[in-house]
Amino acid sequence: MDIIVCVKHVPETAEAEIKIDATGKAIEKTGLVFDINEWDDYALEEAVRIKEKFGGTVTAITVGPEDADSTLRKCLARGADKAIRLTDTRFEDSDGYAIAKILQSTIKSLPFDLILTGALAGDDGYTMVGPILAELLGISHATMVKKIELDDGVAKVNRELEGGLEEMVEVKMPMVLTVQTGINEPRYVSIMGIRKAMQKEIKVLGLADIGLSENDVGEAGSWIKIEKMFVPSVEKQAEFLKGTPEEVSAKIAEILRARGLI
Amino acid sequence: MHFELNEEQKEIKRAIKEFCEKEFTPELALELDEKEEFPMELYKKAAKLGFTSMRIPQEYDGQGYGLLEDCIVVEEMCRVDPGLGAAVSLGNLMIPDVLLKHGNEEQKKKYIPPLARGDTISAAAFSEPEHGSDITRMDTTAVKSGNEWVINGSKEFITNAPVADIFIVLCQTDPNATPSHRGQSIFLVEKGTPGLEATKLKRKMGIKPCITGSLALSDVKAPETSLVGELNKGFYYALELFDETRIAVAAQAVGMSQGAFERAFQYAKTRKQFGAPIIKFQGISFKLADMAIKIEAARMLTYKAAWLFDQGRLDPMATSMAKAFAGRVAMEVTDEAIQIYGGYGYLADYHVERFHRCAKITEIYEGTTEMQKLTIINRLMKTM
Ligand SMILES: Cc1cc2nc3c(=O)[nH]c(=O)nc-3n(C[C@H](O)[C@H](O)[C@H](O)COP(=O)(O)OP(=O)(O)OC[C@H]3O[C@@H](n4cnc5c(N)ncnc54)[C@H](O)[C@@H]3O)c2cc1C
Ligand SMILES: Cc1cc2nc3c(=O)[nH]c(=O)nc-3n(C[C@H](O)[C@H](O)[C@H](O)COP(=O)(O)OP(=O)(O)OC[C@H]3O[C@@H](n4cnc5c(N)ncnc54)[C@H](O)[C@@H]3O)c2cc1C
């Protein structure tokens, strides 16, 4: 079973103070801590578990700058066998479609039975790289995957739906699955893993190596262009009800009834 | 001169940071600070990931890194929690180090791998009720009887004693030696040996999850094979050992300082008085700047001492400078952290008082600060 995991090196923004940079189209990155995208963390773990069960290889692949090596090394330390970084200044400003093209151009020449990506990336949240990649490769896919059971060329996967529902679908290999958080419990990086990872090479490829042209990547090769990034203004919409408890409760009931809630 | 961690060391720091931030929870820290219990499960988990055997060679199931990498790990553990950090970083203290230097192959093979894997816990018994800073004479004696040694005496303040599987014990083997320290030897004693009894010391000031005990030895029989290295060389082995392990104590102090500093810094940014976050007042912000300076200086001394050791150039003066300075900095920084928290700093639930209580030990164990100064001044007198 040869598995490819697409991982992204993203800033941890959940608890950081976020500022918009001078271009008005991106966030200020200085001072932010970068790490593997949370969803990809689960995808990598799932890939390593599948490998441990069925044998084979796990290749982690990322489109990103040199800094992204730390994310790839983390993948190697946790059980990936190979790592590839796709780097070129012309890849900058690529949208999900362009990223999927870059990934596809590399992956198509690699042996694989299964490709895992995160369901989304914590920084831009587009949820599209996985499905587009599957389309470009002409293979099947399933999104928001919470459970994977492999069996002779097909996989039974559980997909997470809204409202706590799950559906189980059967997907034919080769396929792309986009993994939801919580599918497993990612292991810690061990010191033994770090030692192994440091002895492995990270293969670096640029535009010239992957057979795409300048027009396929970056802003030119993208369908989406960021117009503006901003922090939504805070609006106060709370209404304070005054009066005796009886009056207040009558008003609450009135509001709820008017909105069709009771 | 090179003042940056290399990529591998950065990966190590990142890995231990992630582990501690998830596993050393504030709830566990508060619970074990109260219960005074060793975090056995946590220790084994850390050990399985290699965090407790950084400087044990790979052939003995360790990680084969140096003391500097070990210091990075110890520092990070103590940054996240000083009590759990001390406990986890001392689970296999000293025995691997002394055996690697002076043990025979049989002893190394028998004792080091299980300690490296976290399957066993070690304890090192030097201090006695009557001999702490001055261990040139031991009241604990080992007397040869046939082909075994019979040990009698008592040891005080022994880290891990109540949970340890294997002990080293410094004994007077030649009571008539002059000076007396030329008549001391180190023996390995296993848990469960008849006559060996450990009692837990309760209500310590800090590092409560790192448990400490008294050790009573009455007619404890130790086979000839339990002697470490040569007869009557124990004192020298002990001094040499401390020159190494003290560097890790300095790393504990640096970590505790850093942890308290970070908490105080965040608090100062959010706590408002007189209409402004208190960090806007120079009375507070300059404190924080001073704390940052001291911590960085302590860290540099510590890393330098560790680096010298890893280069095969162990320098007792560098070790003592690192330990004495880092210990003092830890006391000052954790004290200031409480001050910055105001009344809340005085409450356990706000954590910084625990850092302060724990920090004190770094000025005491593995040689008090005064003993470090003696080492420094003796060296200076010889060389200047
Ligand atoms: C929590 C804890 C864990 C410990 N773990 C271990 C362990 O695992 N193994 C072990 O063997 N020991 C251990 N110790 C013991 C520790 O190493 C000793 O407490 C320490 O060496 C000091 O000895 P003492 O307590 O007898 O103090 P003393 O030696 O009595 O010193 C009292 C004071 O006098 C000062 N002093 C002594 N002589 C001089 C001098 N010549 N000049 C100036 N000042 C001097 C000291 O610096 C100190 O301030 C531990 C202690 C504690 C508290
Ligand atoms: C055990 C205990 C008993 C107490 N008993 C009582 C009691 O009986 N009655 C009562 O009313 N209170 C009591 N207190 C509260 C105590 O008086 C306050 O904790 C104290 O006044 C500090 O206030 P704070 O904790 O809110 O800290 P803060 O006022 O938030 O101060 C935090 C830090 O900022 C510093 N700081 C604040 N403003 C400035 C500034 N402008 N410039 C420079 N530095 C500044 C402070 O010095 C401190 O270091 C008690 C507290 C404790 C811990």
Side-chain angles (χ1 to χ4, degrees):
Chain A
M1 179 82 51
D2 292 315
I3 310 167
I4 290 171
V5 188
C6 303
V7 297
K8 187 175 182 183
H9 189 60
V10 299
E12 282 173 14
T13 49
E15 278 162 39
E17 285 171 45
I18 306 291
K19 287 194 196 91
I20 306 298
D21 75 4
T23 67
K25 295 182 181 184
I27 56 168
E28 186 60 62
K29 305 245 166 57
T30 40
L32 292 178
V33 178
F34 282 70
D35 202 344
I36 186 170
N37 173 40
E38 191 185 347
W39 285 261
D40 305 345
D41 205 24
Y42 289 89
L44 189 269
E45 177 65 31
E46 197 62 20
V48 173
R49 288 185 188 197
I50 294 171
K51 178 187 89 166
E52 284 168 352
K53 198 162 159 198
F54 297 100
T57 63
V58 173
T59 303
I61 175 164
T62 192
V63 181
E66 201 181 335
D67 291 352
D69 277 358
S70 67
T71 277
L72 289 176
R73 265 199 301 270
K74 191 170 188 179
C75 295
L76 291 170
R78 297 229 319 260
D81 304 281
K82 289 180 217 156
I84 301 171
R85 172 162 55 83
L86 298 158
T87 301
D88 200 299
T89 48
R90 287 163 292 190
F91 293 165
E92 279 168 30
D93 300 318
S94 291
D95 70 350
Y97 171 52
I99 295 288
K101 281 189 279 183
I102 297 167
L103 289 169
Q104 185 258 348
S105 67
T106 313
I107 292 173
K108 68 177 186 208
S109 57
L110 300 173
F112 66 87
D113 305 290
L114 173 64
I115 298 172
L116 298 182
T117 73
L120 59 105
D123 56 350
D124 56 28
Y126 279 129
T127 70
M128 61 186 190
V129 170
I132 298 176
L133 177 61
E135 286 302 310
L136 292 174
L137 287 165
I139 60 176
S140 47
H141 79 267
T143 55
M144 301 290 276
V145 171
K146 290 283 285 196
K147 190 176 171 197
I148 303 174
E149 261 177 61
L150 294 172
D151 187 23
D152 205 23
V154 293
K156 285 204 172 81
V157 304
N158 290 23
R159 300 187 55 246
E160 185 179 277
L161 306 178
E162 284 299 309
L165 276 181
E166 282 190 19
E167 73 172 9
M168 192 201 270
V169 294
E170 206 177 87
V171 192
K172 267 207 215 94
M173 283 205 237
M175 65 190 147
V176 174
L177 300 178
T178 82
V179 172
Q180 176 61 310
T181 55
I183 186 172
N184 52 43
E185 198 184 323
R187 71 196 64 187
Y188 291 112
V189 171
S190 70
I191 297 296
M192 306 76 168
I194 290 175
R195 185 178 280 285
K196 275 195 209 129
M198 294 309 292
Q199 285 157 1
K200 285 181 187 155
E201 193 200 351
I202 293 173
K203 192 166 164 188
V204 181
L205 300 173
L207 186 60
D209 306 306
I210 60 173
L212 290 180
S213 83
E214 236 170 292
N215 295 329
D216 296 320
V217 301
E219 209 180 300
S222 295
W223 283 342
I224 294 174
K225 230 166 75 184
I226 296 173
E227 279 289 307
K228 185 178 163 193
M229 198 174 277
F230 59 96
V231 182
S233 57
V234 182
E235 288 170 27
K236 281 197 184 135
Q237 290 187 330
E239 186 186 344
F240 291 92
L241 302 177
K242 290 200 184 94
T244 64
E246 289 76 20
E247 286 164 1
V248 171
S249 52
K251 275 184 202 161
I252 291 174
E254 204 176 295
I255 292 167
L256 293 178
R257 211 175 298 123
R259 309 223 168 141
L261 295 168
I262 51 171
Chain B
M1 285 232 168
H2 193 69
F3 285 105
E4 236 187 4
L5 299 183
N6 64 31
E7 286 307 312
E8 192 158 1
Q9 290 160 343
K10 284 184 199 158
E11 293 298 326
I12 290 169
K13 194 174 167 86
R14 209 156 70 116
I16 182 66
K17 175 174 162 36
E18 210 170 289
F19 175 77
C20 293
E21 286 180 352
K22 290 220 181 88
E23 298 288 332
F24 289 20
T25 61
E27 296 75 32
L28 184 68
L30 286 172
E31 184 194 328
L32 295 190
D33 186 59
E34 205 160 298
K35 286 194 186 154
E36 306 190 67
E37 273 172 21
F38 185 77
M40 193 61 88
E41 208 182 308
L42 182 64
Y43 178 69
K44 288 186 187 294
K45 220 172 183 174
K48 295 289 170 261
L49 292 164
F51 295 130
T52 62
S53 58
M54 292 300 292
R55 63 181 200 268
I56 297 176
Q58 286 176 295
E59 59 173 311
Y60 300 109
D61 289 353
Q63 308 312 314
Y65 284 100
L67 185 52
L68 180 54
E69 286 80 11
D70 197 13
C71 284
I72 292 168
V73 169
V74 170
E75 181 186 332
E76 197 55 33
M77 287 181 186
C78 290
R79 180 188 72 87
V80 179
D81 186 71
L84 297 173
V88 174
S89 67
L90 292 175
N92 59 19
L93 85 170
M94 292 192 185
I95 293 186
D97 306 288
V98 78
L99 289 185
L100 283 168
K101 277 234 173 66
H102 305 292
N104 58 41
E105 204 47 43
E106 205 175 309
Q107 291 168 335
K108 289 189 217 176
K109 284 215 179 91
K110 182 168 180 198
Y111 295 111
I112 302 178
L115 284 169
R117 292 192 301 264
D119 296 339
T120 53
I121 301 283
S122 69
F126 300 98
S127 308
E128 296 185 348
E130 301 302 326
H131 307 280
S133 298
D134 178 8
I135 55 167
T136 54
R137 169 167 289 281
M138 296 278 88
D139 290 335
T140 300
T141 57
V143 178
K144 190 86 183 266
S145 155
N147 51 9
E148 58 188 12
W149 292 88
V150 181
I151 306 175
N152 278 290
S154 58
K155 296 285 179 180
E156 194 59 288
F157 298 124
I158 308 308
T159 298
N160 297 338
V163 288
D165 302 280
I166 176 71
F167 299 76
I168 45 171
V169 185
L170 182 66
C171 304
Q172 200 70 40
T173 31
D174 179 358
N176 304 318
T178 44
S180 54
H181 66 255
R182 288 197 188 150
Q184 297 177 354
S185 309
I186 293 177
F187 293 91
L188 285 155
V189 178
E190 290 180 18
K191 177 180 84 174
T193 307
L196 179 74
E197 203 182 323
T199 339
K200 185 162 158 182
L201 287 168
K202 291 198 182 133
R203 286 187 275 165
K204 290 206 297 285
M205 177 180 180
I207 62 160
K208 297 187 185 203
C210 178
I211 62 172
T212 316
S214 310
L215 205 59
L217 301 108
S218 67
D219 287 333
V220 169
K221 296 197 169 67
E224 264 179 334
T225 52
S226 65
L227 175 69
V228 176
E230 286 176 44
L231 191 64
N232 295 330
K233 288 276 171 65
F235 177 79
Y236 300 97
Y237 297 165
L239 288 201
E240 178 193 52
L241 186 60
F242 286 130
D243 284 333
E244 173 185 351
T245 56
R246 269 170 194 156
I247 303 173
V249 176
Q252 292 182 342
V254 172
M256 292 177 191
S257 307
Q258 182 71 28
F261 167 73
E262 286 175 12
R263 285 166 190 271
F265 191 84
Q266 291 310 325
Y267 185 79
K269 283 205 293 190
T270 50
R271 173 70 174 174
K272 284 193 182 137
Q273 288 293 288
F274 303 101
I278 56 172
I279 200 166
K280 296 279 179 211
F281 306 124
Q282 282 190 350
I284 295 296
S285 64
F286 279 18
K287 263 194 220 303
L288 287 162
D290 283 335
M291 290 155 86
I293 296 168
K294 288 179 191 169
I295 297 168
E296 188 61 11
R299 181 179 290 121
M300 287 299 120
L301 282 178
T302 304
Y303 286 6
K304 183 184 170 192
W307 176 82
L308 281 166
F309 175 81
D310 290 338
Q311 299 290 310
R313 290 155 55 195
L314 173 65
D315 178 351
M317 183 160 85
T319 296
S320 289
M321 283 181 168
K323 184 179 184 282
F325 188 72
R328 184 83 302 253
V329 164
M331 283 308 285
E332 290 170 4
V333 166
T334 53
D335 180 24
E336 290 289 45
I338 297 174
Q339 191 63 22
I340 290 169
Y341 267 78
Y344 298 99
Y346 206 67
L347 303 176
D349 285 353
Y350 288 80
H351 306 290
V352 284
E353 64 84 35
R354 188 172 70 254
F355 278 79
H356 193 49
R357 285 190 284 108
C358 290
K360 186 64 202 172
I361 196 60
T362 65
E363 291 199 304
I364 299 172
Y365 64 9
E366 302 203 23
T368 61
T369 295
E370 290 74 17
M371 294 305 106
Q372 308 315 314
K373 290 182 181 172
L374 271 184
T375 302
I376 295 165
I377 203 65
N378 286 341
R379 175 57 62 98
L380 292 175
M381 298 280 269
K382 269 191 210 141
T383 55
M384 287 189 70

